[in-house]
Amino acid sequence: MSSTRNPGRFAGLLYLLTSIVGFFAMGYVPDKLIVSGNAAATANNISASETLFRLGIAGELLGQAGFIFVALALYDLLEASTGGRPRSW
């Protein structure tokens, strides 16, 4: 593989990693902790699995920050395709 910079692969890899973290934080953690219609059971689950709850919060923050970097990587990718010239709509 050449050592040249490939912004498309970087953007794709960053999107994939951010999506995996987002799925964990938004899909797995709430499914394990939240009991629909029972706030007391939800509070008990959170206190029993405090580490999972904190990992869910950290995953949310990392996912949101990751998507900002995905947007910047896609901007870099698409800017290179226009040759650095601004497009007139």
Side-chain angles (χ1 to χ4, degrees), residues 15-85:
Y15 188 76
L16 179 66
L17 293 175
T18 304
S19 297
I20 290 170
V21 171
F23 172 75
F24 171 76
M26 296 179 73
Y28 179 76
V29 173
D31 189 41
K32 295 294 179 185
L33 296 179
I34 297 175
V35 178
S36 181
N38 193 347
T42 300
N44 287 335
N45 287 345
I46 290 172
S47 64
S49 303
E50 190 173 329
T51 304
L52 181 63
F53 181 69
R54 290 175 190 245
L55 284 173
I57 292 173
E60 289 277 351
L61 292 173
L62 286 173
Q64 296 300 320
F67 275 118
I68 291 172
F69 289 113
V70 167
L72 292 174
L74 288 174
Y75 176 79
D76 186 39
L77 172 69
L78 296 175
E79 181 186 36
S81 68
T82 62
R85 292 176 282 125

Side-chain angles (χ1 to χ4, degrees), residues 1-2 4-16 73-74 77:
M1 178 176 272
S2 68
T4 59
R5 188 169 168 238
N6 191 340
R9 286 189 183 184
F10 177 72
L13 179 65
L14 190 59
Y15 188 76
L16 179 66
L74 288 174
L77 172 69

